[in-house]
Amino acid sequence: MSFNTFGHLFRVTTFGESHGPAIGCVIDGCPPRIPLREADIQPYLDRRRPGQSRYTTQRQEPDTVRIISGVFIDEITGAQVTTGTPIALVIDNLDQRSKDYSAIKDKYRPGHADLTYDIKYGLRDYRGGGRQSARETAMRVAAGAVARKIVPDLKIRGALVQMGPHRVDRARWDWDEVDKNPFFCPDAKLAAMLGDYLDDLRKKGSSIGAVIEVVAEGVPPGLGAPIYGKLDGDLAAALMGINAVKGVEIGAGFRAAELSGEENGDEMRIGNDGKLRFLSNNAGGILGGISTGQPVVARFAVKPTSSILTPRRTVDRYGHETEISTTGRHDPCVGIRAVPIGEAMVACVIADHYLRQRGQVGDTPAWPFAPPAR
Ligand SMILES: Cc1cc2nc3c(=O)[nH]c(=O)nc-3n(C[C@H](O)[C@H](O)[C@H](O)COP(=O)(O)O)c2cc1C
């Protein structure tokens, strides 16, 4: 039993390790005739790429993506388009430094998956964490770029909303700020202090966690299926599937436990345009596992990087107590680069549900429905 694939109709399989020659993915089920070039994918990879600021790992990977299959030139338009066959994408690994890991090859980093991979498989690729490494997430970002092209008018944006004890002030939220600072932070004032905060943590040989929020606008109503195919359930699984994620919430999330029914339930009116309008969005755009047409809002908590310089008590694979201190190149806050990864996972899930909805119900009559004839 192996699980390197997710999605039903938009199906993504990834392969590769941190220090292998390349990483890649195969996307099966992408509809035909969608314009697709490397240049459509690369900007998203560039946002996740390591080594872009001193606040992320200094591993230098250009992350240049190649489309290996699944595209052809459309004779009529001259554009390169998807053919409906599997789309294979590959990125070469160019900056491996496997010797950085030789000192810890028999020891288990507290908080990392070294122990459990060894228990499960009886061996592990210790070079950069092998398959446990978030290097694999580059392929999710690539798949997410393809997914974004499937749902018309879909807009998915992510932001870092908390690092350690520091939270954004939502009154200062500005989406334009997100790409202006190295933290994907929508609050310029908070972003201005996070650099010093992280420098200090790094000097101490430490690391810190973060919370990321992803907002998907333009999600058509009706996506998601009761009961085992809920949109929120699939989003939670996809986001929890990102390395280091320890919590996911949708809409009001855990705060909903503090609310009364009248505070929580999103009231409805008819807008001047005759369309349904919600007065709030505690549901995070999903009711009964089915999208309402409101923005889908998901948040996820990312734990602090486990590979830290500070010596920690641990054991080795031969049953001896020992200490470990991890050198090498690591993100002091892996939550930063998790922002484009979270966006990509949301894009893949929504694209999958969009195709599933089309497959099951095709065109449904438009809401509001006509009253019965008397
Ligand atoms: C973008 C990103 C980069 C990461 N980089 C590192 C890293 O440099 N060092 C590290 O110890 N963990 C890193 N991680 C986290 C590990 O991959 C993760 O903790 C490990 O695979 C164990 O899985 P789990 O935390 O989901 O249980 C990173 C995670 C993400 C999302």
Side-chain angles (χ1 to χ4, degrees):
M1 299 293 282
S2 187
F3 292 91
N4 292 289
T5 301
F6 70 98
H8 289 258
L9 291 190
F10 185 83
R11 220 166 152 69
V12 180
T13 303
T14 70
F15 61 87
E17 290 85 23
S18 176
H19 289 204
I23 50 174
C25 72
V26 176
I27 302 164
D28 203 0
C30 181
R33 298 188 303 279
I34 295 177
L36 182 68
R37 297 164 307 139
E38 274 105 352
D40 297 320
I41 304 172
Q42 197 60 51
Y44 295 100
L45 287 165
D46 290 346
R47 291 178 81 226
R48 195 215 74 105
R49 200 159 60 79
Q52 296 198 82
S53 81
R54 69 177 199 277
Y55 308 110
T56 59
T57 171
Q58 293 307 300
R59 181 169 171 170
Q60 293 299 332
E61 292 286 356
D63 280 356
T64 306
V65 70
R66 277 181 297 142
I67 303 177
I68 303 294
S69 70
V71 290
F72 195 61
I73 303 296
D74 181 333
E75 274 189 18
I76 297 165
T77 63
Q80 177 168 289
V81 295
T82 57
T83 58
T85 61
I87 301 169
L89 306 174
V90 173
I91 293 174
D92 290 331
N93 285 330
L94 299 177
D95 187 24
Q96 307 96 319
R97 279 198 212 152
S98 304
K99 68 173 173 14
D100 283 356
Y101 293 86
S102 47
I104 62 163
K105 78 179 179 52
D106 295 327
K107 300 181 183 180
Y108 302 130
R109 286 168 289 179
H112 220 292
D114 307 335
L115 169 73
T116 46
Y117 268 56
D118 227 359
I119 289 175
K120 184 174 176 67
Y121 299 114
L123 85 169
R124 72 184 171 92
D125 180 351
Y126 59 83
R127 305 162 311 158
R131 184 83 177 148
Q132 322 159 26
S133 164
R135 182 93 194 103
E136 178 269 348
T137 60
M139 297 326 303
R140 308 189 199 194
V141 172
V146 180
R148 286 177 196 253
K149 306 199 100 198
I150 291 176
V151 186
D153 304 321
L154 177 67
K155 185 173 191 177
I156 298 178
R157 296 182 287 189
L160 181 143
V161 295
Q162 186 178 343
M163 188 187 288
H166 306 292
R167 293 165 197 260
V168 292
D169 178 343
R170 285 182 181 263
R172 288 197 295 257
W173 187 296
D174 179 358
W175 280 113
D176 290 339
E177 278 302 322
V178 169
D179 283 325
K180 290 189 190 155
N181 62 72
F183 311 108
F184 300 110
C185 179
D187 174 348
K189 194 169 169 200
L190 176 64
M193 61 81 63
L194 288 179
D196 287 345
Y197 174 66
L198 272 182
D199 281 339
D200 190 46
L201 275 169
R202 193 203 294 276
K203 271 184 220 137
K204 290 181 182 143
S206 186
S207 62
I208 196 70
V211 178
I212 314 305
E213 182 164 312
V214 181
V215 181
E217 290 164 283
V219 179
L223 306 196
I227 288 180
Y228 301 113
K230 287 180 161 186
L231 184 60
D232 40 2
D234 283 354
L235 284 170
L239 293 172
M240 191 63 100
I242 299 172
N243 313 46
V245 172
K246 295 307 269 186
V248 179
E249 55 178 26
I250 308 289
F254 277 80
R255 205 174 52 82
E258 298 166 20
L259 301 179
S260 62
E262 51 289 17
E263 286 168 328
N264 182 65
D266 303 311
E267 293 184 304
M268 287 167 262
R269 300 318 272 155
I270 299 294
N272 293 337
D273 56 0
K275 291 188 180 155
L276 175 65
R277 193 162 65 88
F278 287 91
L279 304 186
S280 54
N281 190 13
N282 289 315
I286 303 172
L287 291 170
I290 298 172
S291 60
T292 61
Q294 286 221 87
V296 169
V297 182
R299 268 178 303 281
F300 57 98
V302 182
K303 73 188 189 187
T305 323
S306 310
S307 305
I308 51 174
L309 262 178
T310 304
R312 314 285 335 272
R313 287 171 293 178
T314 189
V315 297
D316 68 18
R317 65 193 311 252
Y318 307 109
H320 304 119
E321 291 185 347
T322 180
E323 274 205 348
I324 188 166
S325 160
T326 317
T327 53
R329 300 165 297 174
H330 301 279
D331 293 84
C333 174
V334 298
I336 300 172
R337 291 199 298 132
V339 174
I341 305 167
E343 291 176 357
M345 293 308 275
V346 170
C348 289
V349 171
I350 291 173
D352 185 38
H353 275 278
Y354 177 79
L355 297 176
R356 284 157 73 176
Q357 166 77 350
R358 211 163 71 172
Q360 188 191 13
V361 303
D363 293 326
T364 48
W367 187 93
F369 307 113
R374 291 183 191 275

